[in-house]
Structure formats: structure tokens, C-alpha cells
Amino acid sequence: MAAVNIQPITVNTTIFARRLAMSFTQQQLEKHQTLWNQMTSHRFLLETRDGKIADDIFAQWMKQDYLFVRAAIPFISALVPKGPLHHWKPHSDVVAMLNKEMDLFEERANAVGVSFEGVQPWFINHAYIQFLMATAYTASYPEAYTLLYTAEKAYHDAWLVVKEGLDPQSKWYPFVENWASEEFGQYVNYLQGELDAMASDVGKAEHQRMEDIFELTVKYEISFWEMAYTGAQWPGIQS
Ligand code: MP5
């Protein structure tokens, strides 16, 4: 019988064991720490935290985010029939929360003389909203849930940065109270637990798509702050 030359297989057991021990969200947050830090240190957030943001720049964010929040209602609603029964109530509660959030935008806009009449989404917001809807309708439930978790976690962390320095008397403080609150943090933790449980049950290909959605969502979040700050509307179109 010919001698079989078996090469020893070397496995980096340390990385492998750590990956196994870490949840999906821990893995993604660690892998994309640089992107996440870029987001939470965006000049829009730092200037808002320091009370230095120009009113017209803040208004650009208010108008665009008002449209985004409105679009989040059909996004969440589309998740209901795809999700398990025990997620129906949490999703319905979020839809109610989003309606209240729109009231908050309208109240703040009125208070500072900003109007949402005729406001249209700019390019990056338009793309992000299309990404929400396409993911809700064409991707699997765990994939769409990854988008939901990442966008909510992103806003919680972003507004926690603003909370570190913004004067509670500021006209923008109600937005801090909305997303940096303990209650919102609990909601994000709940999403995180549910997502981690789903991620441990999916196959390799779906897991990879969930990872891609996490990364894309963080990138959209950064680009959204950049759009709000610079006022970039549609590339190449003179407004
Ligand atoms: C959220 C948001 C948070 N309002 N805007 C962007 C661009 N990303 C995330 O979502 P919600 O549904 O307002 O809590």
C-alpha cells in the first residue's frame, strides 16, 4: 500500500473559539468598530453635542429624518407578516412610537419655524429608504431584522454622544430624550437579543447576507449624517 502523506491541518483555534463565543452583534460591532466610531464622531453629532450646530444645518437633518421616520412605518409594518407571532406586538408598538416621533418632529419644526411642506428625500436618504423597502420585501426576516437592529442601535449610540454635552435646555434636547433614553436603550437590547438568537439558527449564506446588511446599514448611517451636514442633495443636479 502506498504511504499516504497526511499534512497536519493548522487551525487558528483562538480566533475560531472567540468567534464561537461571541454573539452575531458582538462580532459585527467589533469587526466594524472603525466605521462605528466614524459614525459616532461625525461632526454633525459633535457640533450638536457642543451646542454649535448651525440652525439651518440642523433643519436639513430634521427635514430629511422626518421623511426617513415616515418611511420606517411601512418598513416595520412589512416585517409583521414575515416574523413570528411573538414579534407582532413589539413591531406594532414601534409603529405607534414612530407616529409619536413624527409628532415630535412636527412640534420641534413648528417651534423653530421650519416647515415640512413639499420636502423631498435627497439622494442618500432616497437610497436608504429604497434599501429599507427592498430589504423588507425581498430579503429574509433575519436579514430585514438586521437592518432594523443596526439602524436603531446606530441612532441610540449617536444620540448618547450628543447627550454627553448638550444643554438640557437646548431646543434640540427632545431628540436626545427620544433616542438616548433608557427606554430606547432597552428596546435596542431587546432587538439585539432577538437578532442574536436568529443569527445562531441561520445557514452560512444567510449569515453572510446578514453581515453585509449590518455593514451597509452603518455606511448609510454615516452618509446620512454627512448629507445632513453638507446639504448634498442630488449629485450633479443644480438645485
Ligand atoms: C433612525 C432614524 C432611527 N430616525 N434615522 C436614521 C437615518 N437612522 C435611524 O430609527 P427610528 O425608527 O426613528 O427609531
Side-chain angles (χ1 to χ4, degrees):
M1 210 201 276
V4 181
N5 185 7
I6 299 173
Q7 298 292 325
I9 302 168
T10 49
V11 178
N12 188 334
T13 45
T14 328
I15 292 182
F16 193 62
R18 241 172 97 233
R19 279 274 157 88
L20 275 183
M22 279 165 74
S23 69
F24 171 76
T25 56
Q26 278 174 324
Q27 276 176 35
Q28 300 317 303
L29 291 166
E30 187 180 291
K31 182 174 166 195
H32 297 296
Q33 202 175 0
T34 308
L35 272 180
W36 204 267
N37 291 342
Q38 271 176 43
M39 176 184 74
T40 53
S41 62
H42 194 279
R43 57 193 162 160
F44 186 102
L45 298 170
L46 302 188
E47 288 183 20
T48 305
R49 176 195 69 189
D50 299 340
K52 290 185 179 148
I53 195 101
D55 283 359
D56 57 338
I57 293 185
F58 199 88
Q60 288 178 165
W61 168 79
M62 269 202 295
K63 288 179 185 173
Q64 290 300 310
D65 212 49
Y66 176 77
L67 297 178
F68 184 89
V69 170
R70 196 169 68 186
I73 296 175
F75 167 70
I76 306 267
S77 306
L79 299 191
V80 172
K82 300 179 96 156
L85 185 60
H86 68 277
H87 282 183
W88 289 13
K89 185 178 183 306
H91 287 324
S92 314
D93 290 347
V94 173
V95 170
M97 179 186 92
L98 290 170
N99 282 306
K100 278 201 194 130
E101 224 169 86
M102 287 178 63
D103 292 344
L104 166 67
F105 274 83
E106 278 158 19
E107 185 276 321
R108 281 296 85 196
N110 275 337
V112 296
V114 167
S115 165
F116 294 136
E117 214 184 306
V119 171
Q120 294 291 328
W122 293 345
F123 183 59
I124 288 161
N125 194 14
H126 190 273
Y128 197 177
I129 291 170
Q130 298 308 306
F131 173 55
L132 285 185
M133 299 317 291
T135 306
Y137 283 104
T138 66
S140 71
Y141 184 69
E143 287 161 40
Y145 207 90
T146 304
L147 202 176
L148 172 64
Y149 161 75
T150 313
E152 300 288 41
K153 166 84 175 153
Y155 251 44
H156 183 54
D157 283 9
W159 287 94
L160 279 175
V161 170
V162 177
K163 190 181 184 178
E164 283 167 17
L166 187 64
D167 180 351
Q169 301 304 318
S170 160
K171 56 190 178 233
W172 308 137
Y173 206 78
F175 293 111
V176 167
E177 286 171 330
N178 189 62
W179 287 291
S181 68
E182 216 159 281
E183 193 189 354
F184 196 84
Q186 280 165 11
Y187 162 56
V188 171
N189 284 342
Y190 161 77
L191 291 176
Q192 187 161 314
E194 294 298 297
L195 181 59
D196 284 334
M198 280 189 267
S200 62
D201 276 348
V202 301
K204 208 171 161 218
E206 190 171 5
H207 199 276
Q208 182 58 53
R209 289 194 298 273
M210 290 168 72
E211 292 178 34
D212 294 345
I213 287 174
F214 181 97
E215 181 175 351
L216 263 176
T217 307
V218 189
K219 288 179 174 169
Y220 267 119
E221 287 293 329
I222 297 170
S223 298
F224 198 95
W225 291 121
E226 185 69 8
M227 168 197 71
Y229 192 91
T230 60
Q233 301 192 8
W234 286 79
I237 309 286
Q238 310 293 328
S239 52

